[in-house]
Amino acid sequence: MAQRVLIIGGSGRIGRSVAADLLRHTDVEMTLTGRRAQAAFSLEPRQRYQSLHLEDKVRVRDAISSHDLVIHCAGPFRPRDFHILSQCIEQKVPYIDVADSPDYVSKALAFREVAKVAGVTCIVSTGVFPGISNGMVRQGIEQLEKAQHAHLSYLVAGSGGAGVTVMRTTFIELQTPFAAKVNGQQRLIQPYSEREVLPFPAPYNQGAGVYWFNTVEALTLAQSFPQLNTVITKFGSLPDIYNHLTSLMTLMPSTWLKQPAITEFLSQVSYAMTQVTDRFSGTGIAMRLALRGQSHGQAATYLATTTHPDTAAAAGYGTGSVAQLILSGQLSLPGVWPVERALPTSLFKETLAERGVTVHSTLCLDENLSR
């Protein structure tokens, strides 16, 4: 009998991208859920649709019970409760999600010991960033004798093909300052501040800026790799005009941004704008990692980059890879974990290669830094 996967939020852009990846790389049967009574998209072979409201906890529990893996794609995650995660642990069904909220992930990780005792593998934030980005950092750290400073930056063209939910997440994360580890100390950061223009690979080398942004990686990487005394995470958009508009949003009174109606209005307007600009900007992503540390007793810098023309598809690759490994029995680690703690670099590279994704990297000794 084929294994069955439940994709909660499977009717959204990210959920459908995950489902598409599983169709290509596994032989599972899938249930894709959404709030509509009927699917608003065409179902592929081995897929079925189920109308499911997350508020209906009994139906959620029953849906989980008839599947071999649950993939939670129903964002935005900051306001979500932990009913799905706790039910997976209780019913001993492996769980993964695409959570992009540090607040949500911090609380989800607190279920680690309960999941360990239950023998259930649960992996959070398995998309592209966070997700593939975390694997890139682990891969880089393993190339250095000692890693001390991590700088992750992302550029996304237009909407990224990911739908209005990503816009909501962006405006939610603009609402409050956040803590980041800088020079060994927790520093309070203003969202979308300290613009930098960095050398990204073509065609993303158009001079767009990246800005401090509250990400899951900033939380989990500092915990997973205590030797890192600095973890910087920055984000920007193409075309660059979107960065300037978003930066202006941070000047609004914080009480305004925290009003759900204003957040929704800004999200819908932003998404409508990207539907126009996507035609010439595309919906791709570029990710850049710079790690500073030591190699062969000298100061060294490890630089890694990767790109993909469709951000939503790349998110599907990240989550689909983890799902594939759990379903095949290659990845089993009871507890609740971020990607960099659960996914060995060998499997990370193998599954990305199957999907045609390459991480380009260089390691340079820098005598100047060692003085």
Side-chain angles (χ1 to χ4, degrees), residues 256-284:
W256 290 13
L257 274 178
K258 291 178 181 179
Q259 293 181 34
I262 291 179
T263 297
E264 185 63 20
F265 172 76
L266 292 172
S267 301
Q268 294 292 342
V269 169
S270 299
Y271 184 63
M273 292 170 63
T274 61
Q275 296 311 286
V276 176
T277 59
D278 281 359
R279 299 170 190 171
F280 61 86
S281 71
T283 58

Side-chain angles (χ1 to χ4, degrees), residues 2-22:
Q3 293 173 294
R4 301 188 65 197
V5 174
L6 176 67
I7 305 180
I8 294 177
S11 60
R13 296 285 184 90
I14 300 301
R16 297 206 304 273
S17 294
V18 173
D21 186 84
L22 292 179

Side-chain angles (χ1 to χ4, degrees), residues 208-321:
V210 292
Y211 304 72
W212 271 106
F213 199 76
N214 193 16
T215 71
V216 169
E217 299 95 311
L219 167 72
T220 67
L221 292 173
Q223 296 174 352
S224 299
F225 306 112
Q227 69 268 38
L228 290 174
N229 58 29
T230 297
V231 180
I232 296 171
T233 54
K234 293 196 173 184
F235 167 82
S237 300
L238 287 170
D240 199 30
I241 184 63
Y242 287 141
N243 292 316
H244 297 292
L245 292 173
T246 302
S247 185
L248 287 174
M249 293 301 99
T250 64
L251 302 179
M252 295 175 62
S254 60
T255 53
W256 290 13
L257 274 178
K258 291 178 181 179
Q259 293 181 34
I262 291 179
T263 297
E264 185 63 20
F265 172 76
L266 292 172
S267 301
Q268 294 292 342
V269 169
S270 299
Y271 184 63
M273 292 170 63
T274 61
Q275 296 311 286
V276 176
T277 59
D278 281 359
R279 299 170 190 171
F280 61 86
S281 71
T283 58
I285 182 172
M287 301 197 292
R288 182 182 188 274
L289 165 67
L291 276 173
R292 296 209 309 264
Q294 293 184 354
S295 178
H296 299 92
Q298 290 184 269
T301 298
Y302 173 90
L303 181 65
T305 61
T306 190
T307 65
H308 194 275
D310 187 326
T311 305
Y317 295 170
T319 303
S321 295

